[in-house]
Amino acid sequence: MTTELETIPDATIDEQDQAPQLVGLMAEYKDVDSAVQAARVVRDRGFKVWDLHSPFPIHGIDKAMGLRATYLPWIVLIGGLFGMASGIALQVWTMSIDYPFLASGKPLNSFPAWVPIIFELTILCSSLAAVAGMLLLNRLPMLYNPLFNKPRFRRVTDDRFFIVIGADDEKFDEIETMRLLESTGALLVDKVED
Amino acid sequence: MSAITPNYGYLRGSREIDNTVDTPGHRAALVLGNKTFHDVTEAIANVAERPTTNGWRVGFALSLALLGMLGVTLTYLVSTGIGVWGNNQPVAWAFGIINFVFWVGIGHAGTLISAILFLFRQNWRTSINRFAEAMTIFAVMCAGLFPLIHVGRPWLAYWLFPIPNQMSMWPQFRSPLLWDVFAVSTYATVSILFWYCGMIPDLATLRDRAKSKLGQALYGIFSLGWTGSSRHWVRYERMYLLLAALATPLVLSVHSVVAFDFAVSQLPGWHTTIFPPYFVAGAVFGGFAMVLCLAIPARAYLGLRDFITMRHLENMAKIMLATGLIVGYAYATEFWTAWYSKDHYEQSLFLFRLTGPYAWAVWTMLFCNVVAPQFLWIKRIRTNAWTLWLVALFANIGMWFERFVIIVTSLNRDFLPSSWHIYWPTWVDICMLAGSFGLFFTCFMLFLRFLPVVAIAEVKAVMPQAHAHGGHDGAKPSKEDHSDYWPEEGLSYAQHKAGQKK
């Protein structure tokens, strides 16, 4: 491959970069029923790099697409434990180790009085972990997406449903996959290019 | 589609559709007017997209004027010192803390609607949660302002946080005042996360519809490149559920901690264990009152009657009635405890409340919070937007006076008659209270103008056609799949009635 590339003049490489590359195929559906039925077909064909885009979360879509449960709750648990530990460490260290200061004859380590702040920090850190974890797992923010080149795709946040199969899926074949999508009752099947 | 929305009649003497009746075996529709998904998008996005109306301009100008007044009085206060307030010894808290507790209480309804009603699967919350969450954030902003200036030297307010400093001292973690710092800042952060994350899909809707370059860019940035991917939705929904589960104990803790500020002290009128639950109930009562005060004019003005229906208003009225009863019960308990305790100071304080120079404030509070909500037992009052708005307004006034009564009447008379001192606010106090409404309404008007005021994606998800009818994996829909999303098919309200007659 390298030798071939070296023989191509620079200009041609640029042109190749600019030429639209097929990223995937996009099928449009008009309602939840047909989109979910199509998702089951695509799932059963064993595709891996694909997705169903919808204006709202569809109930039971995880089963229809064969998605695994997210491990987001574990991230939140870690965030919560971190918050709890930092709440305990902060108060025990500042009040009874770093600057021991007797207030109203209360013990230096007045643990019951630490509880509210431990609680608040637990909630704070788990909430931040939940949001950060969701964004991270979803690879957001991602402000550019080849799908945004398609004017039709704008209706995905309105009333249309789209199944997109990625070209880098092992089972992807431009003609075959297009036929498959057409057979699922799509309104339209289109190429997504970048 | 007629099978999905029963043929509702109109409420007596109004153009309001009466969807407050329950038909057994038939779920009430959450969105009226047989809407398609596109209709929902149009109706809600239109609020942010239509040209600026004169009504909005007037409202915004008024809010901005009040905000300007806040700015002027703030400058005067900070440059002169808090002596310009009516605060004295022993009434050192006064308006600064009254307004703080008032605003933070109002903030509670937002999280209650978005988190607790979410966990209880009260799907009607979807029409009002965005609205209430925005209200929460702006109310918490107003709340945060008052303790900040009440410290006297706001440029040293960072001392409240455990930041290593040149004095090598730490804040006192045994004090409820410091718990408050953590509780309120956590509450503000989590409320903003909840509101913003809930809005991402709807910002994407506005992005995809935006005509102007600026709109495309701004909505585009804040919607983070959302594509409605189901893989994203699954994680997103899980996150939303977790945030709701986290925010539920949080919202209860915040006003409890605010109540600790009082209850942990030794002062008669404050030193009582009923304060945390009583404060939380009062906060929910006042918060729902504020939601109603804002929602009733807004839904008419923005043309969202099909989303924020009479049923929504009635549900909120019922919650107000329930929490209003808890508040009334708490007042009664306070008086009873004072009598039963045989504690001289406690008893004379409660007598002073009913008969002293602040008796008018106490009776205002009792009328607004205990008597006024009783009118909500009557369905005609509950389902009339005007009377409901009036009761909600009373509740808001009453809740402000409740904090006035708790703080001023208790502080101005402690154990030693030699230190008694009457408190009256100055014009600066009053202007700052009015100015805080300016801050609140300026933010709120901007929200109504530029952001999705109803959760578009969530409303679509609770509509009947959002459900795949084939059931899971093509199986026949089972009984447990029946939910609000999925009213029983085939019977219209009229047909149902006809069936009953047979």
Side-chain angles (χ1 to χ4, degrees):
Chain A
M1 286 297 280
T2 39
T3 46
E4 256 181 279
L5 271 177
E6 277 158 10
T7 57
I8 299 169
D10 288 356
T12 333
I13 290 174
D14 278 356
E15 269 169 30
Q16 272 190 341
D17 276 356
Q18 280 162 14
Q21 277 189 333
L22 187 69
V23 209
L25 289 172
M26 161 182 117
E28 183 176 338
Y29 301 87
K30 73 172 193 322
D31 56 24
V32 183
D33 275 328
S34 49
V36 170
Q37 295 297 349
R40 291 186 183 126
V41 172
V42 176
R43 172 197 67 189
D44 294 341
R45 287 296 177 99
F47 283 100
K48 294 273 177 290
V49 188
W50 69 287
D51 212 334
L52 192 160
H53 299 260
S54 59
F56 51 83
I58 299 170
H59 186 65
I61 194 64
D62 41 351
K63 275 185 199 145
M65 282 179 69
L67 300 179
R68 274 176 305 163
T70 165
Y71 51 91
L72 185 66
W74 296 103
I75 300 179
V76 177
L77 179 67
I78 292 167
L81 290 174
F82 171 79
M84 191 174 81
S86 51
I88 296 171
L90 173 72
Q91 295 179 87
V92 170
W93 184 71
T94 55
M95 293 286 102
S96 51
I97 297 168
D98 185 52
Y99 197 115
F101 184 84
L102 205 60
S104 317
K106 287 167 189 157
L108 289 176
N109 192 11
S110 328
F111 204 81
W114 306 160
V115 171
I117 290 181
I118 296 171
F119 171 78
E120 300 298 339
L121 286 176
T122 308
I123 298 284
L124 180 68
C125 293
S126 12
S127 306
L128 290 170
V131 175
M134 182 276 288
L135 292 177
L136 218 68
L137 293 175
N138 282 347
R139 309 230 170 105
L140 292 174
M142 187 163 70
L143 296 184
Y144 176 74
N145 190 319
L147 288 168
F148 294 150
N149 298 334
K150 292 281 172 197
R152 301 190 68 87
F153 191 72
R154 286 188 195 147
R155 286 185 71 173
V156 76
T157 55
D158 181 6
D159 60 350
R160 283 294 156 88
F161 303 81
F162 293 85
I163 286 184
V164 179
I165 301 184
D168 38 2
D169 192 293
E170 281 175 13
K171 294 215 157 74
F172 184 85
D173 175 275
E174 201 179 326
I175 312 289
E176 281 298 309
T177 309
M178 187 175 272
R179 275 198 196 125
L180 171 74
L181 285 173
E182 274 163 357
S183 72
T184 58
L187 294 178
L188 179 113
V189 181
D190 200 358
K191 289 177 189 171
V192 183
E193 286 165 334
D194 194 10
Chain B
M1 293 301 281
S2 62
I4 285 158
T5 310
N7 307 326
Y8 294 121
Y10 288 91
L11 281 164
R12 246 193 299 174
S14 79
R15 289 181 295 129
E16 206 75 64
I17 293 171
D18 181 12
N19 62 336
T20 60
V21 278
D22 277 305
T23 318
H26 204 125
R27 291 271 186 178
L30 295 168
V31 178
L32 297 176
N34 288 331
K35 289 193 163 38
T36 63
F37 293 138
H38 183 65
D39 294 337
V40 173
T41 316
E42 281 292 329
I44 299 167
N46 176 47
V47 173
E49 287 164 354
R50 64 181 179 180
T52 311
T53 58
N54 283 332
W56 185 86
R57 283 199 187 98
V58 171
F60 188 64
L62 284 175
S63 317
L64 216 53
L66 282 176
L67 178 62
M69 190 168 76
L70 179 69
V72 171
T73 43
L74 257 181
T75 315
Y76 177 55
L77 177 93
V78 173
S79 58
T80 318
I82 52 170
V84 300
W85 279 348
N87 297 22
N88 56 42
Q89 280 303 339
V91 189
W93 276 12
F95 262 45
I97 305 303
I98 298 170
N99 297 344
F100 162 69
V101 182
F102 172 72
W103 279 117
V104 86
I106 283 180
H108 277 56
T111 316
L112 188 104
I113 290 172
S114 40
I116 299 182
L117 295 188
F118 180 78
L119 294 184
F120 283 122
R121 302 196 173 199
Q122 296 295 304
N123 287 329
W124 58 276
R125 71 180 261 295
T126 52
S127 298
I128 49 168
N129 72 335
R130 175 70 42 75
F131 203 83
E133 283 164 28
M135 183 198 79
T136 290
I137 290 160
F138 307 143
V140 172
M141 275 165 61
C142 294
L145 173 74
F146 283 100
L148 189 71
I149 51 181
H150 190 259
V151 298
R153 284 177 283 173
W155 51 94
L156 294 178
Y158 68 91
W159 285 3
L160 292 168
F161 293 94
I163 301 167
N165 53 46
Q166 73 280 12
M167 300 171 292
S168 66
M169 283 180 79
W170 297 105
Q172 179 53 264
F173 285 100
R174 291 176 192 86
S175 164
L177 295 177
L178 192 65
W179 305 348
D180 236 3
V181 173
F182 279 80
V184 175
S185 48
T186 299
Y187 187 52
T189 314
V190 175
S191 302
I192 290 172
L193 287 179
F194 215 79
W195 183 57
Y196 175 64
C197 288
M199 209 154 48
I200 293 173
D202 297 346
L203 289 172
T205 302
L206 293 180
R207 167 200 70 199
D208 289 345
R209 293 166 55 94
K211 301 275 188 298
S212 71
K213 277 269 172 248
L214 185 69
Q216 284 170 350
L218 287 178
Y219 290 130
I221 289 168
F222 286 104
S223 59
L224 308 177
W226 184 259
T227 57
S229 146
S230 288
R231 292 168 195 273
H232 288 185
W233 274 123
V234 169
R235 296 185 190 110
Y236 175 91
E237 283 203 290
R238 181 50 64 96
M239 173 217 65
Y240 204 81
L241 177 69
L242 286 167
L243 274 189
L246 291 165
T248 298
L250 176 66
V251 67
L252 300 178
S253 85
V254 174
H255 229 55
S256 298
V257 168
V258 172
F260 286 150
D261 292 344
F262 301 94
V264 170
S265 76
Q266 306 287 322
L267 202 68
W270 284 7
H271 189 61
T272 163
T273 46
I274 201 179
F275 261 30
Y278 155 37
F279 268 48
V280 171
V284 174
F285 174 68
F288 268 92
M290 193 56 140
V291 176
L292 280 169
C293 273
L294 297 170
I296 290 173
R299 78 188 192 114
Y301 175 65
L302 303 173
L304 296 175
R305 280 208 171 102
D306 286 346
F307 296 95
I308 305 173
T309 65
M310 194 38 88
R311 193 182 182 85
H312 292 88
L313 300 186
E314 201 203 6
N315 282 348
M316 285 193 273
K318 285 175 181 168
I319 294 180
M320 255 184 75
L321 178 57
T323 47
L325 288 172
I326 301 176
V327 170
Y329 173 73
Y331 294 161
T333 308
E334 271 194 308
F335 279 98
W336 191 82
T337 311
W339 170 76
Y340 189 70
S341 69
K342 296 284 176 273
D343 180 89
H344 181 68
Y345 299 102
E346 196 80 13
Q347 283 183 333
S348 59
L349 179 90
F350 278 88
L351 207 61
F352 171 77
R353 279 193 184 169
L354 287 180
T355 57
Y358 299 116
W360 61 275
V362 179
W363 292 106
T364 310
M365 164 191 106
L366 288 175
F367 175 76
C368 293
N369 292 349
V370 182
V371 180
Q374 304 311 319
F375 286 102
L376 298 177
W377 287 106
I378 304 162
K379 178 142 181 168
R380 281 202 78 183
I381 292 181
R382 208 163 64 216
T383 53
N384 179 316
W386 294 93
T387 47
L388 183 56
W389 190 82
L390 207 65
V391 172
L393 186 69
F394 270 121
N396 271 316
I397 297 169
M399 285 314 289
W400 189 87
F401 273 103
E402 181 196 295
R403 280 70 181 241
F404 180 86
V405 166
I406 290 172
I407 290 172
V408 175
T409 63
S410 305
L411 275 177
N412 90 103
R413 291 198 162 201
D414 59 4
F415 302 97
L416 284 177
S418 61
S419 58
W420 291 358
H421 204 300
I422 286 291
Y423 163 86
W424 295 113
T426 63
W427 65 271
V428 183
D429 282 305
I430 310 262
C431 288
M432 291 194 89
L433 171 60
S436 68
F437 277 91
L439 174 61
F440 179 78
F441 279 109
T442 304
C443 296
F444 203 76
M445 293 305 276
L446 288 172
F447 162 71
L448 289 187
R449 182 69 196 83
F450 296 110
L451 293 173
V453 289
V454 172
I456 306 174
E458 278 189 48
V459 166
K460 285 177 189 164
V462 298
M463 288 167 68
Q465 61 271 46
H467 246 59
H469 281 72
H472 301 310
D473 289 306
K476 282 226 86 158
S478 64
K479 257 279 175 262
E480 63 187 311
D481 281 333
H482 275 266
S483 67
D484 284 13
Y485 314 118
W486 205 344
E488 273 184 49
E489 288 167 53
L491 273 186
S492 77
Y493 181 55
Q495 284 168 324
H496 183 89
K497 279 285 185 198
Q500 274 185 331
K501 275 175 197 155
K502 281 174 204 167

